[in-house]
Amino acid sequence: AKEAKPALLEAARSADEAVAVAAFKGLTILADGADAPAMVELLAGLQTEAARGYAENAVVAAAGRIADKTVQADAVLEKLNSEQPATVSASLLRVAGRIANAGAFQVVDSAAGSQDPTIRDIAIRALAAWPDGRALDRLARIAKDSSNATHRVLALRGYVRLLGSDKKLSAAQQVTKYEHAMSLARSDADRKLVLAGLANVSHPDALPIAMAYVDTPAVKDEAMLAALKIAQATAGARPAAARAAALKIAAEASRTQTRDQAKTLADTIGSAVSIFDGRTFDGWEGNMEIFRIEDGAIVGGTLDKRIVRNEFLCTEREYGDFELRLKVKLLGDAASANAGIQIRSRRIPDHHEMI
């Protein structure tokens, strides 16, 4: 099939719409990274506007097959940096936004402030779909300052989407940014969007943000669902706050299922004993060079350094019959990462091991 590439590259120059479209469809499948510069030239010299979308797809596909992501947009940005007709500049900017590497971000971010409304619109839409957190700050500014309602909504949606997907953000950072997102929300639809994302933040400080809206009729249901989910996730760290939220929701929710879930949670917390306060290791003993507290959670070890021996964090108190409820997250190489929970174990005197 690759033998067809030269013919397809030639056919893509055709002014015949059907021929050009068919050629670009083929190149989207067959073109590789080495073809990216030629593909950019074809896009810039396009003979039929009907083929533009297909040509853009083909350039993105070819650039995406360049192994080094940092240079995937280079041919596009080089062409964009030269004087081009407005339609070509717009096309190249759309492509840069879809390649979405660091170099492309600088150009797209700058274009978001362009005086040309077409260029500005393309850039903002690209930022709203950006795949990583480098677009967060710009999207927040657009959502706050843009005079264009469509751009504000797109920016806020992109901002909230990235808050949920950016793995570099800690839970505490997410809380701060969701609180900011709520301050940017100008409509009930916006607030519902933010609450839906906030619901997935397992940090005690997220709860009061959601609870602040349970008395707002237009978003009451969404706020209660978010607060209930957060309360369930953080009851171990702050049981009093979680139970108070659950009791309020149980008393005021209009949906039977929400009321029942809230009552069950309140009853569970009311009968539960928290063995971790979310802030200190009171009631625990172990090697505190290995264990630490981050964002209200106990963290053991590090991804940067191998732990040379087994280490255990133990309660100082002994318990009879019990049900243990907690959330666990294991990071690292699946083949070597090791963690677990032991019950009815005792520490060997003056030793790190348990029996």
Side-chain angles (χ1 to χ4, degrees), residues 97-147:
R98 291 172 62 188
I99 295 172
N101 65 1
F105 177 76
Q106 294 180 5
V107 173
V108 174
D109 184 53
S110 176
S114 172
Q115 295 302 308
D116 184 321
T118 299
I119 293 297
R120 184 169 62 250
D121 181 74
I122 291 170
I124 290 173
R125 289 176 185 276
L127 290 170
W130 209 262
D132 59 55
R134 59 167 55 95
L136 278 168
D137 289 344
R138 170 59 95 168
L139 288 171
R141 292 198 299 273
I142 295 168
K144 179 177 182 289
D145 298 330
S146 178
S147 60

Side-chain angles (χ1 to χ4, degrees), residues 260-284:
D260 291 346
Q261 288 177 343
K263 186 178 184 304
T264 299
L265 177 61
D267 291 345
T268 301
I269 297 172
S271 62
V273 174
S274 177
I275 59 175
F276 172 57
D277 64 15
R279 296 180 292 275
T280 72
F281 280 123
D282 290 348
W284 296 83

Side-chain angles (χ1 to χ4, degrees), residues 51 59 126 133 184 197 241 277:
V59 175
L184 298 173
D277 64 15

Side-chain angles (χ1 to χ4, degrees), residues 230-269:
I230 297 165
Q232 288 171 331
T234 62
R238 295 187 192 169
R243 187 166 190 268
L247 287 171
K248 180 176 176 63
I249 294 169
E252 301 179 7
S254 58
R255 296 177 178 176
T256 301
Q257 184 178 8
T258 304
R259 284 199 308 271
D260 291 346
Q261 288 177 343
K263 186 178 184 304
T264 299
L265 177 61
D267 291 345
T268 301
I269 297 172

Side-chain angles (χ1 to χ4, degrees), residues 107-339:
V107 173
V108 174
D109 184 53
S110 176
S114 172
Q115 295 302 308
D116 184 321
T118 299
I119 293 297
R120 184 169 62 250
D121 181 74
I122 291 170
I124 290 173
R125 289 176 185 276
L127 290 170
W130 209 262
D132 59 55
R134 59 167 55 95
L136 278 168
D137 289 344
R138 170 59 95 168
L139 288 171
R141 292 198 299 273
I142 295 168
K144 179 177 182 289
D145 298 330
S146 178
S147 60
N148 185 307
T150 299
H151 288 167
R152 290 197 304 269
V153 171
L154 286 171
L156 183 61
R157 287 177 180 174
Y159 185 78
V160 171
R161 176 184 57 79
L162 284 175
L163 289 184
S165 63
D166 189 351
K167 303 304 181 184
K168 294 181 180 179
L169 294 175
S170 68
Q173 289 173 319
Q174 283 183 306
V175 169
T176 299
K177 290 185 180 296
Y178 271 112
E179 189 170 27
H180 184 49
M182 192 59 89
S183 75
L184 298 173
R186 303 193 186 197
S187 69
D188 292 332
D190 290 346
R191 283 181 274 275
K192 289 178 181 180
L193 175 74
V194 178
L195 286 166
L198 180 68
N200 297 309
V201 181
S202 298
H203 192 287
D205 290 343
L207 185 56
I209 300 175
M211 289 300 294
Y213 290 89
V214 298
D215 294 321
T216 303
V219 297
K220 177 179 179 178
D221 290 341
E222 289 77 12
M224 286 186 171
L225 288 173
L228 188 56
K229 187 172 182 180
I230 297 165
Q232 288 171 331
T234 62
R238 295 187 192 169
R243 187 166 190 268
L247 287 171
K248 180 176 176 63
I249 294 169
E252 301 179 7
S254 58
R255 296 177 178 176
T256 301
Q257 184 178 8
T258 304
R259 284 199 308 271
D260 291 346
Q261 288 177 343
K263 186 178 184 304
T264 299
L265 177 61
D267 291 345
T268 301
I269 297 172
S271 62
V273 174
S274 177
I275 59 175
F276 172 57
D277 64 15
R279 296 180 292 275
T280 72
F281 280 123
D282 290 348
W284 296 83
E285 61 87 8
N287 183 353
M288 298 311 171
E289 293 183 359
I290 299 296
F291 298 98
R292 61 193 183 280
I293 299 170
E294 292 182 359
D295 295 332
I298 297 173
V299 180
T302 172
L303 296 177
D304 301 325
K305 185 171 62 175
R306 184 176 179 273
I307 298 175
V308 297
R309 67 184 193 184
N310 291 334
E311 295 286 357
F312 298 88
L313 184 68
C314 307
T315 60
E316 295 175 344
R317 177 181 168 184
E318 293 187 0
Y319 297 88
D321 294 337
F322 62 86
E323 292 182 5
L324 179 63
R325 297 186 180 186
L326 73 161
K327 284 192 172 184
V328 177
K329 185 175 184 178
L330 182 63
L331 301 177
D333 184 356
S336 59
N338 178 31

